[in-house]
Amino acid sequence: MESKRQQKFAGVLQEELAAIFQREGAAYLPNTLVTITKVRVSSDLAVAKVYLSFLNTNNTSLSVATVNAHAGEIRYKLGSRIRHQARIVPTLSFFVDDTNEYVEHMDKIFDKISKDRKDTDQEG
């Protein structure tokens, strides 16, 4: 369970990272929209796990690897934006947020189940 302090700091990081990706995301991933879906911060606020969602990309693992390759540069830009709000700038690790893919997969399963039920109801 995250403390209020962690949640508040994660919210600040999410906002600032979203602004960075909105302005300069095209430099890392041209023609790809990057959304920060979730930020988890360690209890000492030194490490942040950032979950990303991508639009207009065929290979999400390559996209997240590209963003991770630029993590130091992104951290520097983040530091210049939050330097008055935080004592330390957390180390950033980026991950793919596959929640949407999971939801779509589950929707397909439920649709198949309801279709199978209708077929068996009509037969019986």
Side-chain angles (χ1 to χ4, degrees):
M1 173 92 181
E2 289 184 331
S3 68
K4 288 277 187 204
R5 184 171 168 237
Q6 286 171 286
Q7 292 172 355
K8 193 171 182 181
F9 190 56
V12 169
L13 293 180
Q14 187 169 357
E15 262 183 53
E16 297 299 336
L17 285 169
I20 290 169
F21 277 103
Q22 188 176 18
R23 288 194 181 91
E24 302 163 28
Y28 312 124
L29 298 165
N31 301 324
T32 302
L33 178 67
V34 180
T35 306
I36 289 91
T37 56
K38 188 172 21 180
V39 177
R40 297 269 187 235
V41 183
S42 63
S43 58
D44 63 354
L45 308 182
V47 178
K49 292 182 178 180
V50 183
Y51 294 88
L52 306 174
S53 177
F54 301 96
L55 285 176
N56 292 343
T57 185
N58 296 330
N59 190 344
T60 54
S61 57
L62 178 64
S63 298
V64 85
T66 304
V67 172
N68 271 313
H70 293 281
E73 185 182 337
I74 295 167
R75 182 176 183 238
Y76 176 78
K77 290 176 182 177
L78 178 66
S80 65
R81 295 176 70 99
I82 67 167
R83 68 178 178 262
H84 299 297
Q85 299 170 21
R87 265 187 269 146
I88 58 168
V89 180
T91 303
L92 303 174
S93 299
F94 296 97
F95 301 93
V96 175
D97 183 6
D98 55 1
T99 306
N100 289 341
E101 293 169 20
Y102 179 74
V103 168
E104 287 176 20
H105 176 70
M106 294 306 290
D107 282 344
K108 286 179 186 173
I109 290 173
F110 289 131
D111 288 344
K112 186 178 184 308
I113 290 170
S114 67
K115 184 180 175 228
D116 290 346
R117 272 211 181 122
K118 285 179 186 174
D119 290 346
T120 55
D121 288 348
Q122 288 174 356
E123 290 171 7

PDB file of all heavy atoms in Angstrom, residues 9 12-13 16-17 19-20 23-24 28 71-90 92:
ATOM      1  N   PHE A   9       3.566  12.290  -4.845  1.00  0.00           N
ATOM      2  CA  PHE A   9       4.773  12.428  -5.653  1.00  0.00           C
ATOM      3  C   PHE A   9       4.603  11.727  -7.001  1.00  0.00           C
ATOM      4  O   PHE A   9       5.031  12.254  -8.041  1.00  0.00           O
ATOM      5  CB  PHE A   9       5.971  11.869  -4.888  1.00  0.00           C
ATOM      6  CG  PHE A   9       7.300  12.185  -5.521  1.00  0.00           C
ATOM      7  CD1 PHE A   9       7.678  13.493  -5.781  1.00  0.00           C
ATOM      8  CD2 PHE A   9       8.179  11.176  -5.864  1.00  0.00           C
ATOM      9  CE1 PHE A   9       8.898  13.786  -6.364  1.00  0.00           C
ATOM     10  CE2 PHE A   9       9.395  11.451  -6.448  1.00  0.00           C
ATOM     11  CZ  PHE A   9       9.761  12.765  -6.700  1.00  0.00           C
ATOM     12  N   VAL A  12       2.662  13.977  -9.274  1.00  0.00           N
ATOM     13  CA  VAL A  12       3.511  15.056  -9.814  1.00  0.00           C
ATOM     14  C   VAL A  12       4.366  14.519 -10.951  1.00  0.00           C
ATOM     15  O   VAL A  12       4.472  15.135 -12.018  1.00  0.00           O
ATOM     16  CB  VAL A  12       4.401  15.669  -8.694  1.00  0.00           C
ATOM     17  CG1 VAL A  12       5.464  16.583  -9.275  1.00  0.00           C
ATOM     18  CG2 VAL A  12       3.539  16.411  -7.681  1.00  0.00           C
ATOM     19  N   LEU A  13       4.985  13.359 -10.727  1.00  0.00           N
ATOM     20  CA  LEU A  13       5.828  12.751 -11.771  1.00  0.00           C
ATOM     21  C   LEU A  13       5.017  12.451 -13.022  1.00  0.00           C
ATOM     22  O   LEU A  13       5.474  12.709 -14.141  1.00  0.00           O
ATOM     23  CB  LEU A  13       6.472  11.465 -11.248  1.00  0.00           C
ATOM     24  CG  LEU A  13       7.498  11.595 -10.134  1.00  0.00           C
ATOM     25  CD1 LEU A  13       8.023  10.223  -9.746  1.00  0.00           C
ATOM     26  CD2 LEU A  13       8.636  12.501 -10.540  1.00  0.00           C
ATOM     27  N   GLU A  16       4.307  15.734 -14.929  1.00  0.00           N
ATOM     28  CA  GLU A  16       5.497  16.309 -15.564  1.00  0.00           C
ATOM     29  C   GLU A  16       6.011  15.431 -16.702  1.00  0.00           C
ATOM     30  O   GLU A  16       6.420  15.939 -17.745  1.00  0.00           O
ATOM     31  CB  GLU A  16       6.599  16.541 -14.513  1.00  0.00           C
ATOM     32  CG  GLU A  16       6.226  17.541 -13.444  1.00  0.00           C
ATOM     33  CD  GLU A  16       5.921  18.941 -13.984  1.00  0.00           C
ATOM     34  OE1 GLU A  16       6.395  19.302 -15.073  1.00  0.00           O
ATOM     35  OE2 GLU A  16       5.197  19.674 -13.290  1.00  0.00           O
ATOM     36  N   LEU A  17       5.974  14.114 -16.510  1.00  0.00           N
ATOM     37  CA  LEU A  17       6.404  13.214 -17.584  1.00  0.00           C
ATOM     38  C   LEU A  17       5.455  13.302 -18.781  1.00  0.00           C
ATOM     39  O   LEU A  17       5.901  13.254 -19.928  1.00  0.00           O
ATOM     40  CB  LEU A  17       6.491  11.776 -17.080  1.00  0.00           C
ATOM     41  CG  LEU A  17       7.690  11.464 -16.189  1.00  0.00           C
ATOM     42  CD1 LEU A  17       7.527  10.100 -15.536  1.00  0.00           C
ATOM     43  CD2 LEU A  17       8.985  11.531 -16.975  1.00  0.00           C
ATOM     44  N   ALA A  19       3.856  15.933 -19.722  1.00  0.00           N
ATOM     45  CA  ALA A  19       4.213  17.176 -20.426  1.00  0.00           C
ATOM     46  C   ALA A  19       5.478  16.993 -21.258  1.00  0.00           C
ATOM     47  O   ALA A  19       5.558  17.471 -22.393  1.00  0.00           O
ATOM     48  CB  ALA A  19       4.388  18.304 -19.414  1.00  0.00           C
ATOM     49  N   ILE A  20       6.452  16.283 -20.696  1.00  0.00           N
ATOM     50  CA  ILE A  20       7.699  16.033 -21.436  1.00  0.00           C
ATOM     51  C   ILE A  20       7.410  15.210 -22.688  1.00  0.00           C
ATOM     52  O   ILE A  20       7.876  15.536 -23.787  1.00  0.00           O
ATOM     53  CB  ILE A  20       8.733  15.324 -20.534  1.00  0.00           C
ATOM     54  CG1 ILE A  20       9.231  16.287 -19.459  1.00  0.00           C
ATOM     55  CG2 ILE A  20       9.898  14.784 -21.360  1.00  0.00           C
ATOM     56  CD1 ILE A  20      10.052  15.627 -18.355  1.00  0.00           C
ATOM     57  N   ARG A  23       5.534  17.263 -25.383  1.00  0.00           N
ATOM     58  CA  ARG A  23       6.358  18.237 -26.105  1.00  0.00           C
ATOM     59  C   ARG A  23       7.474  17.589 -26.922  1.00  0.00           C
ATOM     60  O   ARG A  23       7.762  18.011 -28.028  1.00  0.00           O
ATOM     61  CB  ARG A  23       6.986  19.224 -25.119  1.00  0.00           C
ATOM     62  CG  ARG A  23       5.991  20.190 -24.554  1.00  0.00           C
ATOM     63  CD  ARG A  23       6.694  21.337 -23.856  1.00  0.00           C
ATOM     64  NE  ARG A  23       5.718  22.240 -23.295  1.00  0.00           N
ATOM     65  CZ  ARG A  23       5.228  22.147 -22.068  1.00  0.00           C
ATOM     66  NH1 ARG A  23       5.621  21.176 -21.267  1.00  0.00           N
ATOM     67  NH2 ARG A  23       4.346  23.021 -21.629  1.00  0.00           N
ATOM     68  N   GLU A  24       8.128  16.584 -26.328  1.00  0.00           N
ATOM     69  CA  GLU A  24       9.350  16.064 -26.935  1.00  0.00           C
ATOM     70  C   GLU A  24       9.304  14.577 -27.240  1.00  0.00           C
ATOM     71  O   GLU A  24      10.320  13.993 -27.576  1.00  0.00           O
ATOM     72  CB  GLU A  24      10.529  16.367 -25.996  1.00  0.00           C
ATOM     73  CG  GLU A  24      10.663  17.858 -25.738  1.00  0.00           C
ATOM     74  CD  GLU A  24      11.529  18.159 -24.533  1.00  0.00           C
ATOM     75  OE1 GLU A  24      12.409  17.338 -24.226  1.00  0.00           O
ATOM     76  OE2 GLU A  24      11.323  19.212 -23.919  1.00  0.00           O
ATOM     77  N   TYR A  28      11.794  10.898 -29.541  1.00  0.00           N
ATOM     78  CA  TYR A  28      12.121   9.511 -29.200  1.00  0.00           C
ATOM     79  C   TYR A  28      11.368   8.523 -30.083  1.00  0.00           C
ATOM     80  O   TYR A  28      11.946   7.551 -30.555  1.00  0.00           O
ATOM     81  CB  TYR A  28      11.773   9.224 -27.732  1.00  0.00           C
ATOM     82  CG  TYR A  28      12.284  10.258 -26.765  1.00  0.00           C
ATOM     83  CD1 TYR A  28      11.413  10.918 -25.905  1.00  0.00           C
ATOM     84  CD2 TYR A  28      13.630  10.593 -26.703  1.00  0.00           C
ATOM     85  CE1 TYR A  28      11.872  11.872 -25.002  1.00  0.00           C
ATOM     86  CE2 TYR A  28      14.094  11.549 -25.813  1.00  0.00           C
ATOM     87  CZ  TYR A  28      13.207  12.186 -24.972  1.00  0.00           C
ATOM     88  OH  TYR A  28      13.661  13.133 -24.100  1.00  0.00           O
ATOM     89  N   ALA A  71      16.194   7.064 -20.973  1.00  0.00           N
ATOM     90  CA  ALA A  71      15.742   7.300 -19.597  1.00  0.00           C
ATOM     91  C   ALA A  71      16.584   8.365 -18.893  1.00  0.00           C
ATOM     92  O   ALA A  71      16.039   9.197 -18.157  1.00  0.00           O
ATOM     93  CB  ALA A  71      15.747   5.997 -18.802  1.00  0.00           C
ATOM     94  N   GLY A  72      17.878   8.361 -19.114  1.00  0.00           N
ATOM     95  CA  GLY A  72      18.753   9.355 -18.476  1.00  0.00           C
ATOM     96  C   GLY A  72      18.424  10.768 -18.925  1.00  0.00           C
ATOM     97  O   GLY A  72      18.354  11.703 -18.107  1.00  0.00           O
ATOM     98  N   GLU A  73      18.204  10.917 -20.215  1.00  0.00           N
ATOM     99  CA  GLU A  73      17.844  12.220 -20.783  1.00  0.00           C
ATOM    100  C   GLU A  73      16.478  12.689 -20.260  1.00  0.00           C
ATOM    101  O   GLU A  73      16.305  13.857 -19.897  1.00  0.00           O
ATOM    102  CB  GLU A  73      17.816  12.073 -22.308  1.00  0.00           C
ATOM    103  CG  GLU A  73      17.570  13.324 -23.083  1.00  0.00           C
ATOM    104  CD  GLU A  73      17.520  13.043 -24.591  1.00  0.00           C
ATOM    105  OE1 GLU A  73      18.078  12.022 -25.046  1.00  0.00           O
ATOM    106  OE2 GLU A  73      16.909  13.852 -25.283  1.00  0.00           O
ATOM    107  N   ILE A  74      15.525  11.768 -20.197  1.00  0.00           N
ATOM    108  CA  ILE A  74      14.178  12.087 -19.688  1.00  0.00           C
ATOM    109  C   ILE A  74      14.267  12.457 -18.214  1.00  0.00           C
ATOM    110  O   ILE A  74      13.623  13.408 -17.764  1.00  0.00           O
ATOM    111  CB  ILE A  74      13.216  10.907 -19.927  1.00  0.00           C
ATOM    112  CG1 ILE A  74      13.018  10.677 -21.426  1.00  0.00           C
ATOM    113  CG2 ILE A  74      11.874  11.146 -19.249  1.00  0.00           C
ATOM    114  CD1 ILE A  74      12.350   9.373 -21.790  1.00  0.00           C
ATOM    115  N   ARG A  75      15.097  11.737 -17.460  1.00  0.00           N
ATOM    116  CA  ARG A  75      15.276  12.023 -16.032  1.00  0.00           C
ATOM    117  C   ARG A  75      15.866  13.423 -15.838  1.00  0.00           C
ATOM    118  O   ARG A  75      15.464  14.158 -14.929  1.00  0.00           O
ATOM    119  CB  ARG A  75      16.180  10.972 -15.401  1.00  0.00           C
ATOM    120  CG  ARG A  75      16.385  11.158 -13.918  1.00  0.00           C
ATOM    121  CD  ARG A  75      17.220  10.016 -13.335  1.00  0.00           C
ATOM    122  NE  ARG A  75      17.343  10.196 -11.908  1.00  0.00           N
ATOM    123  CZ  ARG A  75      18.505  10.295 -11.272  1.00  0.00           C
ATOM    124  NH1 ARG A  75      19.645  10.205 -11.937  1.00  0.00           N
ATOM    125  NH2 ARG A  75      18.539  10.462  -9.969  1.00  0.00           N
ATOM    126  N   TYR A  76      16.810  13.797 -16.686  1.00  0.00           N
ATOM    127  CA  TYR A  76      17.410  15.130 -16.611  1.00  0.00           C
ATOM    128  C   TYR A  76      16.346  16.213 -16.852  1.00  0.00           C
ATOM    129  O   TYR A  76      16.271  17.203 -16.123  1.00  0.00           O
ATOM    130  CB  TYR A  76      18.544  15.262 -17.629  1.00  0.00           C
ATOM    131  CG  TYR A  76      19.151  16.640 -17.666  1.00  0.00           C
ATOM    132  CD1 TYR A  76      20.057  17.040 -16.687  1.00  0.00           C
ATOM    133  CD2 TYR A  76      18.805  17.546 -18.658  1.00  0.00           C
ATOM    134  CE1 TYR A  76      20.601  18.309 -16.707  1.00  0.00           C
ATOM    135  CE2 TYR A  76      19.334  18.819 -18.682  1.00  0.00           C
ATOM    136  CZ  TYR A  76      20.245  19.199 -17.702  1.00  0.00           C
ATOM    137  OH  TYR A  76      20.773  20.464 -17.716  1.00  0.00           O
ATOM    138  N   LYS A  77      15.523  16.014 -17.879  1.00  0.00           N
ATOM    139  CA  LYS A  77      14.452  16.980 -18.181  1.00  0.00           C
ATOM    140  C   LYS A  77      13.441  17.040 -17.044  1.00  0.00           C
ATOM    141  O   LYS A  77      12.955  18.117 -16.691  1.00  0.00           O
ATOM    142  CB  LYS A  77      13.764  16.617 -19.496  1.00  0.00           C
ATOM    143  CG  LYS A  77      14.659  16.849 -20.695  1.00  0.00           C
ATOM    144  CD  LYS A  77      14.030  16.402 -21.977  1.00  0.00           C
ATOM    145  CE  LYS A  77      15.022  16.625 -23.107  1.00  0.00           C
ATOM    146  NZ  LYS A  77      14.539  16.167 -24.377  1.00  0.00           N
ATOM    147  N   LEU A  78      13.134  15.875 -16.467  1.00  0.00           N
ATOM    148  CA  LEU A  78      12.227  15.828 -15.327  1.00  0.00           C
ATOM    149  C   LEU A  78      12.828  16.590 -14.143  1.00  0.00           C
ATOM    150  O   LEU A  78      12.133  17.361 -13.477  1.00  0.00           O
ATOM    151  CB  LEU A  78      11.949  14.377 -14.935  1.00  0.00           C
ATOM    152  CG  LEU A  78      11.058  14.161 -13.716  1.00  0.00           C
ATOM    153  CD1 LEU A  78       9.636  14.645 -13.987  1.00  0.00           C
ATOM    154  CD2 LEU A  78      11.054  12.688 -13.327  1.00  0.00           C
ATOM    155  N   GLY A  79      14.112  16.397 -13.923  1.00  0.00           N
ATOM    156  CA  GLY A  79      14.794  17.074 -12.826  1.00  0.00           C
ATOM    157  C   GLY A  79      14.743  18.584 -12.941  1.00  0.00           C
ATOM    158  O   GLY A  79      14.558  19.292 -11.949  1.00  0.00           O
ATOM    159  N   SER A  80      14.887  19.082 -14.153  1.00  0.00           N
ATOM    160  CA  SER A  80      14.830  20.536 -14.337  1.00  0.00           C
ATOM    161  C   SER A  80      13.420  21.071 -14.102  1.00  0.00           C
ATOM    162  O   SER A  80      13.247  22.228 -13.744  1.00  0.00           O
ATOM    163  CB  SER A  80      15.334  20.923 -15.731  1.00  0.00           C
ATOM    164  OG  SER A  80      14.468  20.419 -16.721  1.00  0.00           O
ATOM    165  N   ARG A  81      12.410  20.214 -14.245  1.00  0.00           N
ATOM    166  CA  ARG A  81      11.020  20.638 -14.033  1.00  0.00           C
ATOM    167  C   ARG A  81      10.579  20.529 -12.578  1.00  0.00           C
ATOM    168  O   ARG A  81       9.754  21.306 -12.125  1.00  0.00           O
ATOM    169  CB  ARG A  81      10.080  19.809 -14.910  1.00  0.00           C
ATOM    170  CG  ARG A  81      10.284  20.041 -16.399  1.00  0.00           C
ATOM    171  CD  ARG A  81       9.398  19.140 -17.214  1.00  0.00           C
ATOM    172  NE  ARG A  81       8.016  19.537 -17.099  1.00  0.00           N
ATOM    173  CZ  ARG A  81       7.365  20.274 -18.000  1.00  0.00           C
ATOM    174  NH1 ARG A  81       7.980  20.684 -19.081  1.00  0.00           N
ATOM    175  NH2 ARG A  81       6.100  20.591 -17.803  1.00  0.00           N
ATOM    176  N   ILE A  82      11.111  19.562 -11.827  1.00  0.00           N
ATOM    177  CA  ILE A  82      10.653  19.353 -10.444  1.00  0.00           C
ATOM    178  C   ILE A  82      11.707  19.732  -9.406  1.00  0.00           C
ATOM    179  O   ILE A  82      11.561  19.396  -8.233  1.00  0.00           O
ATOM    180  CB  ILE A  82      10.198  17.890 -10.212  1.00  0.00           C
ATOM    181  CG1 ILE A  82      11.364  16.912 -10.304  1.00  0.00           C
ATOM    182  CG2 ILE A  82       9.067  17.503 -11.128  1.00  0.00           C
ATOM    183  CD1 ILE A  82      11.051  15.519  -9.775  1.00  0.00           C
ATOM    184  N   ARG A  83      12.752  20.432  -9.800  1.00  0.00           N
ATOM    185  CA  ARG A  83      13.858  20.708  -8.874  1.00  0.00           C
ATOM    186  C   ARG A  83      13.434  21.493  -7.638  1.00  0.00           C
ATOM    187  O   ARG A  83      14.071  21.387  -6.597  1.00  0.00           O
ATOM    188  CB  ARG A  83      14.993  21.409  -9.596  1.00  0.00           C
ATOM    189  CG  ARG A  83      14.675  22.809 -10.060  1.00  0.00           C
ATOM    190  CD  ARG A  83      15.885  23.450 -10.727  1.00  0.00           C
ATOM    191  NE  ARG A  83      15.539  24.780 -11.204  1.00  0.00           N
ATOM    192  CZ  ARG A  83      15.204  25.064 -12.438  1.00  0.00           C
ATOM    193  NH1 ARG A  83      15.181  24.103 -13.349  1.00  0.00           N
ATOM    194  NH2 ARG A  83      14.903  26.290 -12.794  1.00  0.00           N
ATOM    195  N   HIS A  84      12.349  22.253  -7.713  1.00  0.00           N
ATOM    196  CA  HIS A  84      11.892  23.005  -6.547  1.00  0.00           C
ATOM    197  C   HIS A  84      10.883  22.214  -5.711  1.00  0.00           C
ATOM    198  O   HIS A  84      10.510  22.648  -4.628  1.00  0.00           O
ATOM    199  CB  HIS A  84      11.261  24.330  -6.988  1.00  0.00           C
ATOM    200  CG  HIS A  84      12.226  25.208  -7.729  1.00  0.00           C
ATOM    201  ND1 HIS A  84      13.372  25.713  -7.160  1.00  0.00           N
ATOM    202  CD2 HIS A  84      12.232  25.643  -9.008  1.00  0.00           C
ATOM    203  CE1 HIS A  84      14.035  26.441  -8.052  1.00  0.00           C
ATOM    204  NE2 HIS A  84      13.363  26.402  -9.185  1.00  0.00           N
ATOM    205  N   GLN A  85      10.446  21.070  -6.216  1.00  0.00           N
ATOM    206  CA  GLN A  85       9.433  20.288  -5.518  1.00  0.00           C
ATOM    207  C   GLN A  85       9.993  19.025  -4.862  1.00  0.00           C
ATOM    208  O   GLN A  85       9.344  18.438  -4.014  1.00  0.00           O
ATOM    209  CB  GLN A  85       8.327  19.870  -6.502  1.00  0.00           C
ATOM    210  CG  GLN A  85       7.619  21.041  -7.136  1.00  0.00           C
ATOM    211  CD  GLN A  85       6.712  20.591  -8.266  1.00  0.00           C
ATOM    212  OE1 GLN A  85       6.331  19.449  -8.338  1.00  0.00           O
ATOM    213  NE2 GLN A  85       6.376  21.505  -9.156  1.00  0.00           N
ATOM    214  N   ALA A  86      11.180  18.612  -5.279  1.00  0.00           N
ATOM    215  CA  ALA A  86      11.735  17.357  -4.760  1.00  0.00           C
ATOM    216  C   ALA A  86      13.227  17.505  -4.490  1.00  0.00           C
ATOM    217  O   ALA A  86      13.921  18.229  -5.200  1.00  0.00           O
ATOM    218  CB  ALA A  86      11.507  16.236  -5.781  1.00  0.00           C
ATOM    219  N   ARG A  87      13.675  16.795  -3.461  1.00  0.00           N
ATOM    220  CA  ARG A  87      15.109  16.831  -3.151  1.00  0.00           C
ATOM    221  C   ARG A  87      15.908  15.984  -4.120  1.00  0.00           C
ATOM    222  O   ARG A  87      17.013  16.346  -4.498  1.00  0.00           O
ATOM    223  CB  ARG A  87      15.338  16.329  -1.728  1.00  0.00           C
ATOM    224  CG  ARG A  87      15.416  17.454  -0.732  1.00  0.00           C
ATOM    225  CD  ARG A  87      15.817  16.948   0.614  1.00  0.00           C
ATOM    226  NE  ARG A  87      14.598  16.625   1.346  1.00  0.00           N
ATOM    227  CZ  ARG A  87      14.490  15.645   2.209  1.00  0.00           C
ATOM    228  NH1 ARG A  87      15.517  14.875   2.479  1.00  0.00           N
ATOM    229  NH2 ARG A  87      13.356  15.418   2.817  1.00  0.00           N
ATOM    230  N   ILE A  88      15.371  14.822  -4.469  1.00  0.00           N
ATOM    231  CA  ILE A  88      16.063  13.948  -5.413  1.00  0.00           C
ATOM    232  C   ILE A  88      15.147  13.667  -6.602  1.00  0.00           C
ATOM    233  O   ILE A  88      13.926  13.660  -6.481  1.00  0.00           O
ATOM    234  CB  ILE A  88      16.490  12.608  -4.772  1.00  0.00           C
ATOM    235  CG1 ILE A  88      15.270  11.867  -4.206  1.00  0.00           C
ATOM    236  CG2 ILE A  88      17.546  12.815  -3.713  1.00  0.00           C
ATOM    237  CD1 ILE A  88      15.558  10.448  -3.839  1.00  0.00           C
ATOM    238  N   VAL A  89      15.769  13.442  -7.733  1.00  0.00           N
ATOM    239  CA  VAL A  89      15.021  13.046  -8.929  1.00  0.00           C
ATOM    240  C   VAL A  89      15.117  11.526  -8.993  1.00  0.00           C
ATOM    241  O   VAL A  89      16.213  10.971  -9.006  1.00  0.00           O
ATOM    242  CB  VAL A  89      15.617  13.689 -10.201  1.00  0.00           C
ATOM    243  CG1 VAL A  89      14.837  13.262 -11.425  1.00  0.00           C
ATOM    244  CG2 VAL A  89      15.655  15.190 -10.070  1.00  0.00           C
ATOM    245  N   PRO A  90      13.985  10.843  -9.023  1.00  0.00           N
ATOM    246  CA  PRO A  90      14.032   9.373  -8.975  1.00  0.00           C
ATOM    247  C   PRO A  90      14.605   8.770 -10.254  1.00  0.00           C
ATOM    248  O   PRO A  90      14.527   9.349 -11.332  1.00  0.00           O
ATOM    249  CB  PRO A  90      12.562   8.985  -8.811  1.00  0.00           C
ATOM    250  CG  PRO A  90      11.791  10.137  -9.332  1.00  0.00           C
ATOM    251  CD  PRO A  90      12.627  11.353  -9.069  1.00  0.00           C
ATOM    252  N   LEU A  92      14.308   6.400 -13.239  1.00  0.00           N
ATOM    253  CA  LEU A  92      13.101   6.031 -13.980  1.00  0.00           C
ATOM    254  C   LEU A  92      13.275   4.687 -14.679  1.00  0.00           C
ATOM    255  O   LEU A  92      14.297   4.434 -15.321  1.00  0.00           O
ATOM    256  CB  LEU A  92      12.783   7.099 -15.030  1.00  0.00           C
ATOM    257  CG  LEU A  92      12.591   8.523 -14.513  1.00  0.00           C
ATOM    258  CD1 LEU A  92      12.432   9.485 -15.674  1.00  0.00           C
ATOM    259  CD2 LEU A  92      11.391   8.601 -13.595  1.00  0.00           C
TER     260      LEU A  92
END
